[in-house]
Amino acid sequence: MIEPKRDKNWKTQLHEIIYEADTPAGKLFDIILLIAIIASILLVMLESVDSIDIQYHSFLNISEWVITILFTLEYIARIITVKKPFKYIFSFYGIIDLLSTAPKYLSIIFVGTHALVALRALRLLRVFRILKLARFLGASNNLTTALKASRAKISVFLFAVIILAVILGTIMYLIEGDKNEGFANIPKSVYWCIVTLTTVGFGDIAPQTPLGQFIASVIMILGYGIIAVPTGIVSAEYSSQNNSNKNAIPDQPNVKKVRLNSQSCSNCLKSDHRDGAQNCYNCGEPLHNN
């Protein structure tokens, strides 16, 4: 027996538009939101250029306020359309949404803080699911899993590099300290060693003695090998994720099958439901099916 469709009240309809992208209105809302986020970031970047700010300051300032007010209304709408507002407010995206709205208001009291609206870039993380880019979403999931699986190995590796930098930095201080003001103390020498190991080489400090220059050359060559280690660790884990993937898409063996259901539970805010799901997998709340 087919259940009759229940009439949706305004909160349910607004929830579908704001939190989901399965309807034309929801997808349009999210695309407009993404454009507004990008526009607001560009406005802040342009305002930081003195020549542009002097000529167009009023326009840039008014535009930022308009976008900020729109984001404020959107943030309030997100709160009133869910059954447990505090769950959204203290969720990852809830905190990001608040932080991306607050800087312009804070700039009234603290000058310069409006530049923090660049935090709005974090809201672009929704773009993969909104536009249903399965190929990129699957690759993103694989990379995230590989990084998590590699964190123990990378932590041990970084700890070993820090120890090596301290030892080599101390040696350089003993060799160069008396004759070179750049290596005036051990912390500065360790700083130089880290910069050299990472092949950055600012050039603000340089060894002057033949022995110091020889050790510096060894550190530089060693740096290339050190850079390759974490890359190899993550690459191995990434390959392992792809090879062990049992749910691969037939014509895309290196891409995991991902769920494109963008529905969000209005009760617990859980997403990533199975395609065609009728109820939330976490709390059992009926989903707003179209």
Coordinates of all heavy atoms in Angstrom, one line a residue, residues 30-111:
D30 N 22.2 26.2 -3.3 CA 23.6 25.8 -2.9 C 24.6 26.4 -3.9 O 25.7 26.9 -3.5 CB 23.8 24.3 -2.9 CG 23.1 23.7 -1.7 OD1 23.1 24.4 -0.6 OD2 22.6 22.6 -1.8
I31 N 24.2 26.5 -5.2 CA 25.1 27.1 -6.2 C 25.2 28.6 -6.0 O 26.3 29.1 -6.0 CB 24.6 26.8 -7.6 CG1 24.8 25.3 -7.9 CG2 25.3 27.6 -8.6 CD1 24.2 24.8 -9.2
I32 N 24.1 29.2 -5.7 CA 24.1 30.7 -5.4 C 25.0 30.9 -4.1 O 25.7 31.9 -4.1 CB 22.7 31.2 -5.2 CG1 21.9 31.2 -6.5 CG2 22.7 32.6 -4.6 CD1 20.5 31.6 -6.4
L33 N 24.8 30.0 -3.1 CA 25.6 30.2 -1.9 C 27.1 30.1 -2.2 O 27.9 30.9 -1.7 CB 25.2 29.1 -0.9 CG 25.9 29.1 0.5 CD1 25.7 30.4 1.2 CD2 25.5 27.9 1.3
L34 N 27.5 29.1 -3.0 CA 28.9 29.0 -3.4 C 29.4 30.2 -4.1 O 30.6 30.6 -3.9 CB 29.1 27.7 -4.2 CG 28.8 26.4 -3.5 CD1 28.9 25.2 -4.5 CD2 29.8 26.2 -2.4
I35 N 28.6 30.7 -5.0 CA 29.0 31.9 -5.7 C 29.2 33.1 -4.8 O 30.2 33.9 -4.9 CB 28.0 32.3 -6.8 CG1 28.0 31.2 -7.9 CG2 28.3 33.6 -7.4 CD1 26.9 31.4 -8.9
A36 N 28.3 33.2 -3.8 CA 28.4 34.3 -2.8 C 29.7 34.1 -1.9 O 30.3 35.1 -1.6 CB 27.2 34.3 -1.9
I37 N 30.0 32.9 -1.6 CA 31.2 32.6 -0.8 C 32.4 33.0 -1.5 O 33.3 33.8 -1.0 CB 31.3 31.1 -0.4 CG1 30.2 30.7 0.6 CG2 32.6 30.8 0.2 CD1 30.0 29.3 0.8
I38 N 32.5 32.6 -2.8 CA 33.7 33.0 -3.6 C 33.8 34.5 -3.8 O 34.9 35.1 -3.7 CB 33.6 32.3 -5.0 CG1 33.7 30.7 -4.8 CG2 34.7 32.8 -5.9 CD1 33.5 29.9 -6.0
A39 N 32.6 35.1 -4.1 CA 32.6 36.6 -4.3 C 33.1 37.3 -3.0 O 33.8 38.3 -3.1 CB 31.2 37.0 -4.6
S40 N 32.6 36.8 -1.8 CA 33.0 37.5 -0.6 C 34.5 37.4 -0.3 O 35.2 38.3 0.2 CB 32.2 36.9 0.6 OG 32.6 35.6 0.8
I41 N 35.1 36.2 -0.7 CA 36.5 36.1 -0.5 C 37.3 37.0 -1.5 O 38.3 37.6 -1.1 CB 36.9 34.6 -0.7 CG1 36.3 33.7 0.4 CG2 38.4 34.4 -0.7 CD1 36.4 32.2 0.1
L42 N 36.8 37.1 -2.7 CA 37.5 38.0 -3.7 C 37.4 39.4 -3.2 O 38.4 40.2 -3.4 CB 36.8 37.8 -5.0 CG 37.1 36.5 -5.8 CD1 36.3 36.4 -7.1 CD2 38.6 36.3 -6.1
L43 N 36.3 39.8 -2.6 CA 36.1 41.2 -2.2 C 37.1 41.5 -1.1 O 37.7 42.6 -1.1 CB 34.7 41.4 -1.6 CG 33.6 41.5 -2.7 CD1 32.2 41.5 -2.0 CD2 33.7 42.7 -3.5
V44 N 37.4 40.6 -0.2 CA 38.3 40.8 0.9 C 39.7 40.9 0.3 O 40.6 41.7 0.7 CB 38.2 39.7 2.0 CG1 39.4 39.8 3.0 CG2 36.9 39.8 2.7
M45 N 40.0 40.0 -0.6 CA 41.4 40.0 -1.3 C 41.6 41.4 -2.0 O 42.7 41.9 -1.9 CB 41.5 38.9 -2.2 CG 41.5 37.5 -1.5 SD 41.4 36.1 -2.7 CE 43.0 36.2 -3.5
L46 N 40.6 41.9 -2.7 CA 40.7 43.1 -3.4 C 40.9 44.3 -2.5 O 41.6 45.2 -2.7 CB 39.5 43.4 -4.3 CG 39.4 42.4 -5.5 CD1 38.0 42.6 -6.2 CD2 40.5 42.6 -6.5
E47 N 40.2 44.2 -1.3 CA 40.2 45.3 -0.3 C 41.6 45.4 0.3 O 42.0 46.5 0.8 CB 39.2 45.1 0.8 CG 39.0 46.3 1.7 CD 37.9 46.1 2.7 OE1 37.4 45.0 2.8 OE2 37.6 47.1 3.3
S48 N 42.4 44.3 0.3 CA 43.7 44.3 0.9 C 44.7 45.0 0.0 O 45.9 45.3 0.4 CB 44.2 42.9 1.2 OG 44.4 42.1 0.0
V49 N 44.4 45.2 -1.3 CA 45.2 46.0 -2.3 C 44.9 47.4 -2.1 O 43.8 47.9 -2.4 CB 45.0 45.5 -3.7 CG1 45.9 46.2 -4.7 CG2 45.1 44.0 -3.8
D50 N 45.9 48.2 -1.6 CA 45.7 49.6 -1.3 C 45.2 50.4 -2.4 O 44.2 51.2 -2.3 CB 47.0 50.2 -0.8 CG 47.4 49.7 0.6 OD1 46.5 49.2 1.3 OD2 48.6 49.7 0.9
S51 N 45.7 50.2 -3.6 CA 45.3 51.0 -4.8 C 43.8 50.8 -5.1 O 43.1 51.7 -5.5 CB 46.2 50.7 -6.0 OG 46.1 49.4 -6.3
I52 N 43.4 49.5 -5.0 CA 42.0 49.2 -5.3 C 41.1 49.7 -4.2 O 40.0 50.2 -4.4 CB 41.8 47.7 -5.5 CG1 42.6 47.3 -6.8 CG2 40.4 47.3 -5.7 CD1 42.6 45.8 -7.0
D53 N 41.5 49.5 -2.9 CA 40.7 49.9 -1.8 C 40.5 51.4 -1.8 O 39.4 51.9 -1.4 CB 41.4 49.5 -0.5 CG 40.6 49.8 0.7 OD1 39.4 49.5 0.7 OD2 41.1 50.4 1.7
I54 N 41.5 52.2 -2.1 CA 41.3 53.7 -2.1 C 40.3 54.1 -3.1 O 39.4 55.0 -2.8 CB 42.7 54.3 -2.4 CG1 43.7 54.1 -1.3 CG2 42.5 55.8 -2.7 CD1 45.1 54.6 -1.6
Q55 N 40.2 53.4 -4.3 CA 39.3 53.8 -5.3 C 37.9 53.3 -5.1 O 36.9 53.9 -5.5 CB 39.9 53.4 -6.7 CG 39.2 54.0 -7.9 CD 39.9 53.7 -9.2 OE1 41.0 53.1 -9.2 NE2 39.3 54.2 -10.3
Y56 N 37.8 52.1 -4.6 CA 36.5 51.4 -4.5 C 36.1 51.0 -3.1 O 35.4 50.0 -2.9 CB 36.5 50.1 -5.4 CG 36.8 50.4 -6.9 CD1 38.1 50.1 -7.4 CD2 35.8 50.9 -7.7 CE1 38.4 50.3 -8.7 CE2 36.1 51.2 -9.1 CZ 37.4 50.9 -9.5 OH 37.7 51.1 -10.9
H57 N 36.6 51.7 -2.1 CA 36.4 51.3 -0.7 C 34.9 51.2 -0.4 O 34.5 50.2 0.2 CB 37.1 52.3 0.2 CG 36.9 51.9 1.7 ND1 37.5 50.9 2.3 CD2 36.0 52.5 2.6 CE1 37.1 50.8 3.6 NE2 36.2 51.7 3.8
S58 N 34.1 52.2 -0.7 CA 32.7 52.2 -0.4 C 32.0 51.0 -1.0 O 31.2 50.3 -0.4 CB 32.1 53.5 -0.8 OG 32.6 54.6 -0.1
F59 N 32.3 50.8 -2.3 CA 31.6 49.7 -3.0 C 32.0 48.3 -2.4 O 31.1 47.5 -2.1 CB 32.0 49.7 -4.5 CG 31.6 48.4 -5.2 CD1 30.3 48.2 -5.6 CD2 32.5 47.4 -5.5 CE1 29.9 47.1 -6.3 CE2 32.1 46.3 -6.2 CZ 30.8 46.1 -6.6
L60 N 33.3 48.1 -2.1 CA 33.7 46.9 -1.5 C 33.1 46.7 -0.1 O 32.7 45.6 0.3 CB 35.2 46.9 -1.4 CG 36.0 46.8 -2.7 CD1 37.5 47.0 -2.5 CD2 35.7 45.6 -3.5
N61 N 33.1 47.8 0.7 CA 32.5 47.7 2.1 C 31.0 47.3 2.1 O 30.6 46.5 2.8 CB 32.8 49.0 2.8 CG 32.4 48.9 4.3 OD1 32.8 48.0 5.0 ND2 31.6 49.8 4.8
I62 N 30.3 48.0 1.2 CA 28.8 47.8 1.1 C 28.5 46.4 0.6 O 27.7 45.7 1.2 CB 28.2 48.8 0.2 CG1 28.2 50.2 0.8 CG2 26.7 48.4 -0.1 CD1 27.8 51.3 -0.1
S63 N 29.3 45.9 -0.4 CA 29.1 44.6 -0.9 C 29.4 43.5 0.2 O 28.6 42.5 0.3 CB 30.1 44.4 -2.1 OG 29.8 45.3 -3.1
E64 N 30.4 43.7 1.0 CA 30.7 42.8 2.1 C 29.6 42.8 3.1 O 29.2 41.7 3.6 CB 32.0 43.2 2.8 CG 33.3 42.8 1.9 CD 34.6 43.2 2.7 OE1 34.6 43.1 3.9 OE2 35.5 43.7 2.0
W65 N 29.0 43.9 3.4 CA 28.0 44.0 4.4 C 26.7 43.3 3.8 O 26.0 42.5 4.6 CB 27.6 45.4 4.7 CG 28.4 45.9 5.9 CD1 29.4 46.9 5.9 CD2 28.4 45.5 7.2 NE1 29.9 47.1 7.1 CE2 29.3 46.2 8.0 CE3 27.7 44.5 7.9 CZ2 29.5 46.0 9.3 CZ3 27.9 44.3 9.3 CH2 28.8 45.0 10.0
V66 N 26.4 43.5 2.6 CA 25.2 42.8 1.9 C 25.4 41.3 2.0 O 24.5 40.6 2.4 CB 25.1 43.2 0.5 CG1 24.0 42.4 -0.2 CG2 24.7 44.7 0.4
I67 N 26.6 40.8 1.6 CA 26.8 39.3 1.7 C 26.8 38.8 3.1 O 26.2 37.7 3.4 CB 28.2 39.0 1.0 CG1 28.1 39.3 -0.5 CG2 28.5 37.5 1.2 CD1 29.4 39.1 -1.2
T68 N 27.4 39.6 4.0 CA 27.4 39.2 5.5 C 25.9 39.1 6.0 O 25.6 38.1 6.7 CB 28.2 40.2 6.3 OG1 29.5 40.2 5.9 CG2 28.1 39.8 7.8
I69 N 25.1 40.0 5.7 CA 23.7 40.0 6.1 C 23.0 38.8 5.5 O 22.2 38.1 6.2 CB 23.0 41.3 5.8 CG1 23.6 42.5 6.6 CG2 21.5 41.2 6.0 CD1 23.1 43.8 6.2
L70 N 23.2 38.5 4.3 CA 22.6 37.3 3.6 C 23.1 36.0 4.3 O 22.3 35.1 4.6 CB 23.0 37.3 2.1 CG 22.3 38.4 1.3 CD1 22.9 38.2 -0.2 CD2 20.8 38.2 1.3
F71 N 24.4 36.0 4.7 CA 24.9 34.8 5.4 C 24.3 34.7 6.8 O 24.1 33.6 7.3 CB 26.4 34.8 5.5 CG 27.1 34.4 4.2 CD1 28.3 35.0 3.8 CD2 26.5 33.5 3.3 CE1 29.0 34.6 2.7 CE2 27.1 33.1 2.2 CZ 28.4 33.7 1.8
T72 N 24.0 35.8 7.4 CA 23.4 35.9 8.7 C 22.0 35.3 8.7 O 21.6 34.5 9.5 CB 23.4 37.3 9.3 OG1 24.7 37.8 9.3 CG2 22.8 37.3 10.7
L73 N 21.2 35.7 7.7 CA 19.9 35.2 7.5 C 19.9 33.7 7.2 O 19.0 33.0 7.7 CB 19.2 36.0 6.3 CG 18.9 37.5 6.6 CD1 18.4 38.2 5.3 CD2 18.0 37.7 7.8
E74 N 20.9 33.3 6.4 CA 21.0 31.9 6.1 C 21.3 31.1 7.3 O 20.7 30.0 7.5 CB 22.1 31.7 5.0 CG 22.3 30.2 4.6 CD 23.7 29.8 4.6 OE1 24.6 30.7 4.8 OE2 24.0 28.6 4.5
Y75 N 22.2 31.6 8.2 CA 22.6 30.9 9.4 C 21.4 30.8 10.3 O 21.1 29.7 10.9 CB 23.7 31.7 10.1 CG 24.2 31.1 11.4 CD1 24.9 29.9 11.4 CD2 23.9 31.7 12.6 CE1 25.4 29.4 12.6 CE2 24.3 31.2 13.8 CZ 25.1 30.0 13.8 OH 25.5 29.5 15.0
I76 N 20.6 31.8 10.4 CA 19.4 31.8 11.3 C 18.4 30.8 10.7 O 17.7 30.0 11.5 CB 18.7 33.2 11.4 CG1 19.7 34.2 12.1 CG2 17.4 33.1 12.1 CD1 19.2 35.6 12.1
A77 N 18.2 30.8 9.4 CA 17.3 29.8 8.7 C 17.7 28.4 9.0 O 16.9 27.5 9.2 CB 17.2 30.1 7.2
R78 N 19.0 28.1 9.0 CA 19.5 26.8 9.2 C 19.2 26.4 10.7 O 18.9 25.2 10.9 CB 21.1 26.7 9.0 CG 21.5 26.7 7.6 CD 23.0 26.6 7.4 NE 23.4 26.7 6.0 CZ 23.4 25.6 5.2 NH1 23.1 24.4 5.7 NH2 23.8 25.7 4.0
I79 N 19.2 27.3 11.6 CA 18.9 27.0 13.0 C 17.4 26.7 13.2 O 17.1 25.7 13.9 CB 19.3 28.1 13.9 CG1 20.9 28.3 13.9 CG2 18.8 27.9 15.4 CD1 21.4 29.5 14.7
I80 N 16.6 27.5 12.6 CA 15.1 27.3 12.9 C 14.5 26.2 12.1 O 13.3 25.8 12.4 CB 14.3 28.6 12.6 CG1 14.4 29.0 11.1 CG2 14.9 29.8 13.4 CD1 13.6 30.2 10.7
T81 N 15.2 25.6 11.1 CA 14.6 24.5 10.3 C 15.0 23.2 10.8 O 14.6 22.2 10.2 CB 15.0 24.7 8.8 OG1 16.4 24.8 8.7 CG2 14.3 25.9 8.2
V82 N 15.8 23.1 11.8 CA 16.1 21.7 12.4 C 15.5 21.6 13.7 O 15.2 22.5 14.4 CB 17.7 21.6 12.5 CG1 18.3 21.6 11.2 CG2 18.3 22.7 13.4
K83 N 15.2 20.3 14.1 CA 14.5 20.0 15.4 C 15.4 20.2 16.6 O 14.9 20.4 17.7 CB 14.0 18.6 15.3 CG 12.9 18.4 14.3 CD 12.3 17.0 14.3 CE 11.2 16.9 13.2 NZ 10.6 15.5 13.2
K84 N 16.7 20.0 16.4 CA 17.7 20.2 17.5 C 18.7 21.3 17.1 O 19.8 20.9 16.6 CB 18.3 18.9 17.8 CG 17.4 17.8 18.3 CD 18.1 16.5 18.6 CE 17.1 15.4 19.1 NZ 17.8 14.1 19.4
P85 N 18.4 22.6 17.3 CA 19.2 23.7 16.8 C 20.7 23.6 17.4 O 21.6 23.9 16.7 CB 18.5 24.9 17.4 CG 17.1 24.5 17.5 CD 17.1 23.1 17.9
F86 N 20.8 23.2 18.7 CA 22.1 23.2 19.3 C 23.0 22.1 18.6 O 24.2 22.3 18.6 CB 22.0 23.0 20.8 CG 21.6 24.2 21.5 CD1 20.3 24.3 22.0 CD2 22.4 25.3 21.8 CE1 19.8 25.4 22.7 CE2 22.0 26.4 22.4 CZ 20.7 26.5 22.9
K87 N 22.4 21.1 18.1 CA 23.2 20.1 17.4 C 23.9 20.6 16.2 O 25.0 20.3 15.8 CB 22.3 18.9 17.1 CG 23.1 17.6 16.9 CD 22.1 16.4 16.9 CE 22.8 15.1 16.9 NZ 23.5 14.8 18.1
Y88 N 23.1 21.5 15.5 CA 23.7 22.2 14.3 C 24.7 23.2 14.7 O 25.8 23.3 14.2 CB 22.6 22.8 13.5 CG 23.1 23.9 12.5 CD1 23.9 23.5 11.4 CD2 22.9 25.2 12.8 CE1 24.4 24.5 10.6 CE2 23.5 26.2 12.0 CZ 24.2 25.9 10.8 OH 24.7 26.8 10.0
I89 N 24.4 24.0 15.7 CA 25.2 25.1 16.2 C 26.6 24.7 16.6 O 27.6 25.3 16.2 CB 24.6 25.9 17.3 CG1 23.3 26.7 16.9 CG2 25.6 26.9 18.0 CD1 22.5 27.3 18.0
F90 N 26.7 23.5 17.2 CA 28.0 23.0 17.7 C 28.6 21.9 16.8 O 29.5 21.3 17.2 CB 27.8 22.5 19.1 CG 27.5 23.5 20.2 CD1 26.2 23.6 20.7 CD2 28.5 24.4 20.6 CE1 25.9 24.6 21.6 CE2 28.2 25.4 21.5 CZ 26.9 25.6 22.0
S91 N 27.9 21.7 15.6 CA 28.5 20.8 14.7 C 29.7 21.4 13.9 O 29.9 22.7 14.0 CB 27.4 20.3 13.7 OG 27.0 21.4 12.9
F92 N 30.4 20.7 13.2 CA 31.6 21.2 12.4 C 31.1 22.3 11.5 O 31.6 23.5 11.5 CB 32.2 20.1 11.6 CG 33.3 20.6 10.6 CD1 34.5 21.0 11.1 CD2 33.0 20.7 9.3 CE1 35.5 21.5 10.2 CE2 34.0 21.2 8.4 CZ 35.2 21.5 8.9
Y93 N 30.1 22.1 10.6 CA 29.6 23.1 9.7 C 28.9 24.2 10.4 O 29.0 25.4 9.9 CB 28.7 22.5 8.6 CG 29.5 21.7 7.6 CD1 29.3 20.4 7.4 CD2 30.3 22.4 6.7 CE1 30.0 19.7 6.4 CE2 31.0 21.8 5.7 CZ 30.9 20.4 5.5 OH 31.6 19.8 4.5
G94 N 28.3 24.0 11.5 CA 27.6 25.0 12.3 C 28.7 26.0 12.8 O 28.5 27.3 12.7
I95 N 29.8 25.5 13.3 CA 30.8 26.4 13.8 C 31.5 27.2 12.7 O 31.8 28.4 12.8 CB 31.9 25.6 14.6 CG1 31.3 25.0 15.9 CG2 33.1 26.5 14.9 CD1 32.2 24.0 16.6
I96 N 31.7 26.5 11.5 CA 32.3 27.2 10.4 C 31.4 28.2 9.8 O 31.8 29.4 9.5 CB 32.6 26.1 9.2 CG1 33.7 25.2 9.7 CG2 32.9 26.8 7.9 CD1 35.0 25.8 10.0
D97 N 30.1 28.0 9.8 CA 29.1 29.0 9.3 C 29.1 30.2 10.2 O 29.0 31.3 9.8 CB 27.7 28.3 9.3 CG 27.6 27.3 8.2 OD1 28.4 27.3 7.3 OD2 26.6 26.5 8.2
L98 N 29.2 30.0 11.5 CA 29.2 31.1 12.5 C 30.5 31.9 12.3 O 30.5 33.1 12.3 CB 29.1 30.6 13.9 CG 29.2 31.6 15.0 CD1 28.1 32.6 14.9 CD2 29.2 31.0 16.4
L99 N 31.7 31.2 12.2 CA 32.9 31.9 12.1 C 33.0 32.7 10.8 O 33.7 33.7 10.7 CB 34.1 30.9 12.2 CG 34.3 30.2 13.5 CD1 35.4 29.2 13.4 CD2 34.7 31.3 14.6
S100 N 32.3 32.2 9.8 CA 32.4 32.9 8.5 C 31.5 34.1 8.5 O 31.6 35.0 7.6 CB 32.0 31.9 7.4 OG 30.7 31.5 7.5
T101 N 30.6 34.2 9.4 CA 29.6 35.3 9.5 C 30.1 36.4 10.4 O 29.9 37.6 10.2 CB 28.2 34.8 9.9 OG1 27.8 33.8 9.1 CG2 27.2 35.9 9.9
A102 N 30.8 36.0 11.5 CA 31.1 36.9 12.6 C 32.1 38.0 12.3 O 32.0 39.1 12.8 CB 31.6 36.1 13.8
P103 N 33.2 37.7 11.4 CA 34.3 38.7 11.3 C 33.9 40.1 10.9 O 34.4 41.1 11.4 CB 35.2 38.1 10.2 CG 34.9 36.6 10.3 CD 33.5 36.5 10.7
K104 N 32.9 40.2 10.0 CA 32.5 41.6 9.6 C 31.9 42.4 10.7 O 32.1 43.6 10.9 CB 31.5 41.5 8.4 CG 31.2 42.8 7.7 CD 32.5 43.4 7.1 CE 32.2 44.7 6.4 NZ 33.5 45.3 5.9
Y105 N 31.1 41.7 11.6 CA 30.6 42.3 12.8 C 31.7 42.7 13.8 O 31.6 43.8 14.4 CB 29.5 41.4 13.4 CG 28.3 41.1 12.6 CD1 28.1 39.9 12.1 CD2 27.4 42.1 12.3 CE1 27.0 39.6 11.3 CE2 26.3 41.9 11.5 CZ 26.1 40.6 11.0 OH 25.0 40.4 10.2
L106 N 32.6 41.8 13.9 CA 33.7 42.0 14.8 C 34.6 43.2 14.4 O 35.2 43.9 15.2 CB 34.6 40.8 15.0 CG 34.0 39.6 15.7 CD1 35.0 38.4 15.7 CD2 33.7 39.9 17.2
S107 N 34.6 43.5 13.1 CA 35.5 44.5 12.5 C 35.0 45.9 13.0 O 35.7 46.9 12.9 CB 35.5 44.5 11.0 OG 34.2 44.8 10.5
I108 N 33.7 46.0 13.5 CA 33.2 47.2 14.0 C 34.0 47.6 15.3 O 34.2 48.8 15.6 CB 31.7 47.1 14.3 CG1 30.9 46.8 13.0 CG2 31.2 48.4 15.0 CD1 29.5 46.5 13.3
I109 N 34.3 46.6 16.1 CA 35.1 46.8 17.3 C 36.6 46.6 17.1 O 37.4 47.5 17.6 CB 34.6 45.8 18.4 CG1 33.0 45.9 18.6 CG2 35.3 46.0 19.7 CD1 32.4 44.9 19.5
F110 N 37.0 45.6 16.4 CA 38.4 45.3 16.2 C 38.7 45.5 14.8 O 38.3 44.7 13.9 CB 38.7 43.8 16.6 CG 38.3 43.5 18.0 CD1 37.2 42.7 18.3 CD2 39.1 43.9 19.1 CE1 36.8 42.4 19.6 CE2 38.7 43.6 20.4 CZ 37.6 42.9 20.7
V111 N 39.5 46.5 14.5 CA 39.8 46.9 13.1 C 40.7 45.8 12.4 O 41.6 45.3 13.0 CB 40.5 48.2 13.1 CG1 40.9 48.6 11.6 CG2 39.7 49.3 13.7

